[in-house]
Amino acid sequence: MNFQSPLARARGLGSVRAGSHHWWRQRVSAVALFPLTLWFGFSLSLLPQANYAMLTHWVSSPWNTLLLLSFILLSLFHGVLGLQTVIEDYVHTDWIKIIGILGVKLVTAFLALASSLAVLRIVLLGGHG
Amino acid sequence: MRDSLSKGIFRLPLNSTLKLGKSWPAPQNASKIRRIEIYRYDPESGENPRLDRFEIDADRCGPMVLDALIAIKSEIDSTLTFRRSCREGVCGSCSMNIDGHNTLACTKAMDDCRELIKIYPLPHLPVVKDLVVDMTHFYAQYASIKPWIETQTPPPADRERLQGKNERGRLNGLYECILCACCSTSCPSYWWNGERYLGPATLLQAYRWIADSRDETAGERLNELEDPFKLYRCHTIMNCTDTCPKGLNPAKAIADIKKLLIERQK
Ligand code: SF4
Ligand code: SF4
Ligand code: FES
């Protein structure tokens, strides 16, 4: 028998006093991604038949490096926030939820490191390292 | 194993499978026949829910869907179960899913419905019988936001707590909510996470007390709401605003709460 009152069940363990940051970061990263995505799409469209040398040259120009890194890292950041929301929405088994969110964060962090390293290798070693 | 998997995870529970039920033909000499299909379920009977079809004479009953339900109950099948009280859209008890929309049976005209009027209980709440759903958790969530004025300052000795015209104006679009639950039960987030997500009705009410100039606990109220599940399951899908039979905008009230939570950090 369950004698807990409906109010006790509705209150549960109370508010965790968090969530605003997550929500705000999602909005801000979306807004910031808008011009970055435009820039990225526009730049790619200017390089339709680029060969390896042209592409590494493009990546190595300081502004491109900076914007490219911002674009990659911000997309991954925005993506991880979104995936966390999706998992919280649809996964109702606690341990799968916890492992899922942790997993998404670790994989994204790994992707962020890997892609930054790739860009920096091209910039610092000219892509021939 | 595979069978139990497909039944347990990928199929609805057995008692969600609908069957076609009885059909009641129109009374003889009916002049304006309306066809109405109603969800019938009695969990205690052990039988599956069914869809009964009724034909009524719209010329011999009032214009609203609730009038038809009352006519059916008193003239055709007295076991039909539904809630109603005020029959003018102020009590919130006759909320149900009519013609694919959550709304109040007493303010929904039959003429505004499709040819076959389909009536179901509010979605995603346990059914007590037919169109009556169990609203215990919904009301408990409402109670959890303390829907009353909380103050530290004692009331003036000689009068009520005063409110200016502008201050009172801020409650417009909020105080009219009749807690019919049409919005909450139309919200996908409330379907998936209703145990913890408060839902649009309760959040609109929570904002109603935050916005009240006489209340002295806006900060505490915001503290209680700042939670990934209680508040932030709202993804601005807008079903709530679309369906509210009182024309209110719970999605905006929720957005205002989120705005205040950011604003107080600056
Ligand atoms: S906001 Fe509208 S739909 Fe929701 S409970 Fe209040 S009156 Fe009903
Ligand atoms: S706006 Fe929010 S509360 Fe309204 S239906 Fe969408 S998710 Fe639910
Ligand atoms: S009977 Fe009161 S709102 Fe419909």
Side-chain angles (χ1 to χ4, degrees):
Chain A
M1 263 327 244
N2 190 349
F3 288 107
Q4 198 181 31
S5 74
L7 183 59
R9 229 170 296 146
R11 286 202 175 137
L13 298 177
S15 148
V16 305
R17 319 257 154 128
S20 301
H21 269 121
H22 184 277
W23 181 81
W24 184 240
R25 285 174 188 170
Q26 231 173 355
R27 314 293 123 170
V28 172
S29 57
V31 170
L33 267 175
F34 182 70
L36 281 173
T37 312
L38 281 185
W39 163 83
F40 188 63
F42 185 68
S43 308
L44 283 191
S45 70
L46 290 182
L47 295 166
Q49 280 129 8
N51 56 26
Y52 185 76
M54 280 166 76
L55 211 64
T56 48
H57 180 74
W58 179 81
V59 172
S60 310
S61 110
W63 274 113
N64 287 346
T65 311
L66 193 61
L67 291 174
L68 187 63
L69 277 177
S70 315
F71 175 69
I72 294 172
L73 295 178
L74 207 59
S75 314
L76 288 171
F77 181 63
H78 187 73
V80 80
L81 294 176
L83 280 173
Q84 179 177 350
T85 304
V86 171
I87 293 174
E88 284 169 350
D89 275 352
Y90 295 114
V91 179
H92 292 99
T93 313
D94 277 347
W95 66 271
I96 304 183
K97 182 160 78 178
I98 292 170
I99 290 180
I101 292 176
L102 264 179
V104 161
K105 284 184 175 165
L106 289 175
V107 169
T108 319
F110 180 76
L111 288 178
L113 270 178
S115 42
S116 310
L117 186 69
V119 172
L120 291 178
R121 259 178 85 98
I122 293 176
V123 174
L124 300 178
L125 304 173
H128 303 294
Chain B
M1 169 68 184
R2 185 183 276 172
D3 198 47
S4 71
L5 255 186
S6 66
K7 266 185 190 137
I9 300 178
F10 299 113
R11 249 189 245 161
L12 291 168
L14 284 181
N15 63 358
S16 309
T17 317
L18 275 167
K19 299 194 172 116
L20 223 50
K22 297 180 203 160
S23 276
W24 306 81
Q28 281 175 351
N29 64 37
S31 48
K32 187 182 171 195
I33 297 175
R34 289 301 318 237
R35 297 198 306 137
I36 300 176
E37 188 176 86
I38 304 180
Y39 173 98
R40 308 294 308 271
Y41 181 44
D42 180 1
E44 281 168 19
S45 72
E47 282 169 35
N48 269 31
R50 57 174 208 269
L51 292 170
D52 282 358
R53 288 199 170 177
F54 300 88
E55 291 187 345
I56 59 149
D57 185 356
D59 276 341
R60 281 183 38 225
C61 99
M64 300 300 175
V65 173
L66 182 64
D67 297 315
L69 288 173
I70 292 173
I72 291 171
K73 188 172 175 71
S74 50
E75 288 161 30
I76 306 176
D77 181 353
S78 63
T79 65
L80 176 63
T81 309
F82 53 90
R83 289 193 181 104
R84 91 278 174 274
S85 174
C86 70
R87 57 104 189 94
E88 56 186 7
V90 291
C91 75
S93 34
C94 66
S95 47
M96 51 188 77
N97 186 283
I98 302 169
D99 212 17
H101 259 81
N102 293 350
T103 191
L104 301 172
C106 65
T107 56
K108 178 83 177 172
M110 277 189 273
D111 284 344
D112 293 342
C113 299
R114 269 167 282 200
E115 198 267 320
L116 174 65
I117 305 174
K118 299 186 177 184
I119 307 179
Y120 288 80
L122 288 178
H124 223 272
L125 288 181
V127 173
V128 178
K129 187 163 185 282
D130 296 347
L131 303 174
V132 174
V133 288
D134 184 353
M135 313 225 340
T136 311
H137 184 60
F138 175 81
Y139 292 140
Q141 287 180 310
Y142 173 57
S144 78
I145 57 121
K146 303 191 176 166
W148 51 78
I149 289 176
E150 291 224 84
T151 57
Q152 203 171 334
T153 314
D158 56 341
R159 66 182 73 190
E160 65 274 28
R161 291 175 201 271
L162 294 182
Q163 201 168 32
K165 249 191 174 168
N166 291 344
E167 293 169 331
R168 171 59 188 78
R170 270 177 238 142
L171 303 183
N172 289 342
L174 303 169
Y175 82 93
E176 300 94 327
C177 171
I178 55 175
L179 284 167
C180 63
C182 283
C183 54
S184 293
T185 56
S186 75
C187 169
S189 274
Y190 195 68
W191 297 342
W192 312 145
N193 287 294
E195 276 303 305
R196 295 168 71 187
Y197 175 45
L198 292 176
T202 295
L203 288 172
L204 176 130
Q205 290 285 344
Y207 184 64
R208 181 246 172 277
W209 296 103
I210 292 172
D212 195 311
S213 59
R214 297 162 298 180
D215 188 88
E216 294 172 348
T217 60
E220 285 88 337
R221 291 181 188 276
L222 288 173
N223 287 345
E224 284 307 312
L225 293 176
E226 183 176 8
D227 183 274
F229 279 86
K230 282 175 193 283
L231 172 69
Y232 285 103
R233 280 310 98 199
C234 169
H235 303 315
T236 326
I237 303 163
M238 300 290 278
N239 275 11
C240 52
T241 301
D242 184 52
T243 209
C244 174
K246 302 295 284 180
L248 308 182
N249 192 345
K252 175 164 184 298
I254 299 172
D256 286 336
I257 296 175
K258 291 177 182 167
K259 210 169 90 192
L260 287 178
L261 280 165
I262 298 299
E263 228 171 81
R264 73 171 182 175
Q265 297 182 24
K266 56 175 194 212

